[in-house]
Amino acid sequence: MKITMAHGSGGIATEELIRDVFVKYFKNDILGAMEDAAVLPPEGGRIALTTDSFVVDPVFFPGGDIGMLSVCGTVNDLLMSGAAPKYLTCAFILEEGLKIGNLNRIAASMAAAADRAGVCIVAGDTKVIGGAGGVLINTTGVGFLPEGRAVSPKRCAQGDALLVSGNLGDHHAAILSARMGIENDIKSDAAPLNAPVEALYKAGVDVKAMRDITRGGLATILNEFAAASSLGMEIFEENIPVSPAVQALSGILGLDPLYMGNEGKLLAVVGGRDADRALAALRSTELGKNAAVIGRVTEKSGAVLTTKLGGRRVLAVLYGEGLPRIC
């Protein structure tokens, strides 16, 4: 069975789609009220709010799918602000001809990712358009910031340490391999980053800035941090974790892991004295087992890579489009 224009009419077909797919997988008391707006219980602390849209092609890829990606991407944006993610909304734009079996797979994947991240999907919307059987997803996330947390690149200071939570480029390489029909064992790293972030705070680390390393890659984020703080970001090539498989694929295709996207990795800036404690905290989690201290904040402006041979390479912001679209 496939999606037809009738599924977007607001009639019986729409009701059946909502009941048989979305309510089936996303069921909770708030969503179950089936009102035009979700009424949320009061929470303490400041509110963090983010929204994101997902258009990845292919929608199913090694290690995940667009549904899992939409939850992880939004949850991770909240986590990077220091917030505890709590609620999500999701809007589906379905192209006519989409197999309902595939939509079930996507919804089930979203539900599993939401459960893993400790969030509830409390509201949503569905629209149907003409097309070739694709699907687009928009998600909005709400979280709450505990008192005392202040996460911003403006807090960076000279001597702070730069850490990444694991190998770079896995998601980008997985999507590109799937689109090009390249057979390898590379899988997307898409995952909610709750555990690594919670480990940092539990260890008492003063987390000054965080960012999930998605489109534009690490180099682009380093430039954003440098611009926001009016300081320099220096990283060392020998410390940057990249798996042999991704390194090999990058070499063949002429890609640079510093500009490749990820969906389950973060960059953290912590005080220099906290570097070892932060590294141990990250490595105590499954998602952070390959974490590394990759550099430091310097007085000079901009982002720079010190190579294995001792040379220095200026890292610019990604120019043009970083193919393929990874989210």
Side-chain angles (χ1 to χ4, degrees):
M1 188 174 178
K2 297 182 179 180
I3 293 293
T4 68
M5 295 303 288
H7 287 106
S9 68
I12 292 177
T14 303
E15 292 179 3
E16 291 176 344
L17 182 67
I18 292 172
R19 181 194 66 219
D20 296 341
V21 179
F22 302 124
V23 173
K24 175 182 176 181
Y25 293 106
F26 304 157
K27 185 177 181 180
N28 59 69
D29 290 341
I30 299 173
L31 183 64
M34 299 301 288
E35 301 289 352
D36 284 343
V39 179
L40 306 178
E43 298 274 353
R46 293 165 293 159
I47 296 175
L49 178 70
T50 188
T51 191
D52 207 346
S53 298
F54 299 84
V55 297
V56 66
D57 180 24
V59 295
F60 298 103
F61 47 82
D65 58 67
I66 192 171
M68 173 191 184
L69 191 61
S70 68
V71 172
C72 295
T74 304
V75 164
N76 289 342
D77 284 347
L78 291 171
L79 288 165
M80 296 305 102
S81 72
K86 189 72 175 180
Y87 303 110
L88 296 181
T89 72
C90 60
F92 292 82
I93 300 176
L94 310 176
E95 292 184 355
E96 190 176 18
L98 174 67
K99 294 180 180 179
I100 292 183
N102 284 344
L103 184 58
N104 272 280
R105 285 180 60 189
I106 292 168
S109 178
M110 290 182 71
D115 183 66
R116 182 179 177 187
V119 297
C120 290
I121 298 173
V122 296
D125 183 48
T126 304
K127 293 293 186 293
V128 178
I129 61 174
V135 56
L136 314 176
I137 301 176
N138 172 270
T139 47
T140 294
V142 176
F144 298 91
L145 279 85
E147 289 299 324
R149 289 190 185 179
V151 181
S152 169
K154 293 180 180 180
R155 292 191 61 221
C156 295
Q158 184 178 353
D160 287 347
L162 306 174
L163 296 91
V164 294
S165 62
N167 296 340
L168 300 181
D170 291 351
H171 181 71
H172 197 126
I175 297 294
L176 185 58
S177 296
R179 289 187 68 176
M180 297 181 68
I182 299 173
E183 295 185 7
N184 53 45
D185 295 326
I186 299 172
K187 293 184 178 180
S188 169
D189 62 342
L193 290 165
N194 303 62
V197 172
E198 290 170 3
L200 288 172
Y201 284 114
K202 188 176 181 179
V205 173
D206 179 16
V207 181
K208 296 191 175 183
M210 286 188 292
R211 190 71 56 84
D212 52 332
I213 310 170
T214 56
R215 287 178 297 170
L218 176 65
T220 297
I221 293 172
L222 290 171
N223 275 279
E224 292 172 355
F225 279 13
S229 64
S230 299
L231 293 168
M233 304 287 154
E234 181 181 15
I235 60 173
F236 300 92
E237 184 179 22
E238 62 183 0
N239 295 350
I240 299 169
V242 181
S243 74
V246 170
Q247 192 73 64
L249 182 70
S250 301
I252 293 171
L253 298 179
L255 300 173
D256 186 344
L258 294 178
Y259 290 92
M260 293 172 70
N262 312 262
E263 289 294 341
K265 301 296 187 307
L266 65 83
L267 169 68
V269 182
V270 307
R273 294 181 179 179
D274 280 346
D276 291 340
R277 186 151 40 113
L279 181 61
L282 290 173
R283 287 183 174 177
S284 71
T285 69
E286 178 62 26
L287 293 178
K289 62 185 179 183
N290 294 316
V293 178
I294 62 167
R296 62 194 176 191
V297 178
T298 67
E299 184 179 6
K300 297 180 180 179
S301 62
V304 175
L305 172 75
T306 296
T307 70
K308 294 178 181 178
L309 297 177
R312 290 172 66 80
R313 168 190 162 196
V314 174
L315 298 175
V317 176
L318 175 67
Y319 181 80
E321 187 174 3
L323 295 173
R325 288 302 303 271
I326 62 159
C327 62

